Amino acid sequence: MRDLDEFTVTDEALAQMAGTENPRLKQIADAAVRHLHAFAREVDLTPEEWLQGISFLTAVGQACTPIRQEFILLSDVLGLSAVVNALHDKKAKELGTQSSLLGPFFREGAPELPLGSQIVDKPTAEEIVIYGRITDNAGTPLPGALIQVWQTSERGGYDLQERGPDEMDMRGNFRAAADGTYYFRTVRPLGYSIPMDGPTGDLVRKQKRHGMRPSHMHCLIGAEGHRELVTALYFGDDPYIGSDTVFGVSQSLVVEIKDDPASPIPGLRAVHYDFRLARQAPGESGRVGADPTKMAAQ
Ligand SMILES: [Fe+2]
């Protein structure tokens, strides 16, 4: 039996885990142990700090409820979710529209509406139209593709926050027409703060970050034989466009509301965005993120 020091304990831990049957679990757990040990050595972690870390993670777990996933929020503000999305995009068989965070406000079962419908129940701001085409990577239209959209109101709250869990608003599902076009009416959503009343918010405040997300419209798009696309469109003139707390913004997803003679609803200012779906690899779901209500139910 040899004396273990801060280096040899890493080898011992890896040796004990060497019999792991699932090769992917072995790869992930081995790397986690190597990086965690290296992290502790790099910062010369003290027992008090170790305990503080344990307390912090415990508080993150305790802040989770059926409609709140504090661990996803922590992953988001640390940039881990954005890294996972970027890796996912790189693994696609071909280039499609870039993905972005699903976020915690996606809900299954939003109403399917005719093209051109207004998704906001009682709009109190300028109506705008969002339109474009859904195609494959080569630009061939995908008729019948389902686009699900959800957003905050002009006041910055989602329906779950403004109306409670029993009502749906500021969301809708649309089917692309025979030529792949989609269009609907809405109002410009307002950017908002991530939930700052939990341990993740405490961390963000200590880091002197504002906690804001720029104005955006979430989109989840599916078509037979294609990778499900989870993404969002970001309004380029938002003051937080360059400093999103959860790193969801990519230049290719930034849009502008314009006077547009090509708009399918004349008289309304419009956002034009065409989505491209990549072909699906066998056994691939493509979903980046999860419905938090489903995770808590398990
Ligand atoms: Fe959002």
Side-chain angles (χ1 to χ4, degrees):
M1 171 102 195
R2 63 171 168 163
D3 280 336
L4 294 178
D5 63 23
E6 72 272 31
F7 293 101
T8 53
V9 72
T10 305
D11 304 329
E12 286 294 317
L14 294 174
Q16 274 204 20
M17 291 156 41
T20 308
E21 271 182 24
N22 180 325
R24 183 63 175 157
L25 173 62
K26 181 174 189 309
Q27 183 186 17
I28 290 173
D30 281 10
V33 163
R34 279 189 281 105
H35 286 272
L36 276 170
H37 291 200
F39 153 74
R41 287 191 294 263
E42 180 185 323
V43 301
D44 193 13
L45 196 68
T46 68
E48 294 75 22
E49 290 159 347
W50 170 81
L51 197 57
Q52 231 180 335
I54 300 285
S55 301
F56 175 74
L57 292 175
T58 304
V60 170
Q62 287 168 342
C64 293
T65 71
I67 57 163
R68 175 168 180 161
Q69 232 302 342
E70 192 78 4
F71 271 113
I72 292 184
L73 187 63
L74 178 62
S75 162
D76 291 352
V77 306
L78 296 180
L80 177 62
S81 312
V83 169
V84 173
N85 276 7
L87 292 170
H88 175 76
D89 281 354
K90 269 172 85 173
K91 282 196 283 279
K93 284 171 78 171
E94 60 195 9
L95 219 57
T97 300
Q98 257 185 299
S99 66
S100 188
L101 307 182
L102 183 73
F105 293 102
F106 170 67
R107 292 167 81 180
E108 306 271 4
E112 191 168 322
L113 304 170
L115 288 171
S117 299
Q118 170 58 263
I119 62 168
V120 180
D121 194 14
K122 293 188 182 70
T124 60
E126 177 195 353
E127 280 196 300
I128 58 170
V129 54
I130 315 256
Y131 80 100
R133 292 211 311 160
I134 303 171
T135 70
D136 67 9
N137 172 261
T140 307
L142 296 172
L146 180 68
I147 173 166
Q148 307 184 59
V149 296
W150 65 104
Q151 65 167 71
T152 54
S153 72
E154 55 271 46
R155 296 167 296 279
Y158 284 94
D159 53 0
L160 281 168
Q161 299 163 309
E162 293 192 351
R163 309 272 295 264
D166 300 327
E167 290 178 71
M168 288 206 183
D169 195 6
M170 291 96 73
R171 63 183 75 227
N173 301 345
F174 297 91
R175 293 268 174 199
D179 60 355
T181 55
Y182 75 90
Y183 66 106
F184 58 92
R185 288 178 296 148
T186 183
V187 299
R188 183 198 161 107
L190 190 67
Y192 57 87
S193 170
I194 62 157
M196 292 291 281
D197 58 343
T200 304
D202 288 341
L203 178 66
V204 166
R205 258 189 303 275
K206 283 183 183 141
Q207 293 169 332
K208 298 285 176 209
R209 298 160 68 186
H210 50 62
M212 295 297 290
R213 296 215 65 204
S215 167
H216 59 276
M217 152 88 54
H218 292 276
C219 316
L220 172 56
I221 305 173
E224 195 63 33
H226 293 77
R227 237 187 185 212
E228 191 175 44
L229 173 66
V230 177
T231 194
L233 302 179
Y234 294 89
F235 293 84
D237 56 354
D238 189 284
Y240 299 106
I241 193 73
S243 60
D244 182 5
T245 303
V246 300
F247 311 100
V249 182
S250 301
Q251 188 56 45
S252 69
L253 300 174
V254 173
V255 297
E256 200 185 331
I257 307 172
K258 288 184 196 162
D259 290 321
D260 180 352
S263 162
I265 304 182
L268 294 188
R269 292 201 301 149
V271 168
H272 179 193
Y273 198 89
D274 296 330
F275 294 97
R276 282 175 182 250
L277 305 192
R279 273 174 305 149
Q280 190 167 35
E284 180 187 62
S285 94
R287 178 70 65 89
V288 180
D291 182 340
T293 58
K294 300 232 157 104
M295 296 178 67
Q298 282 168 2

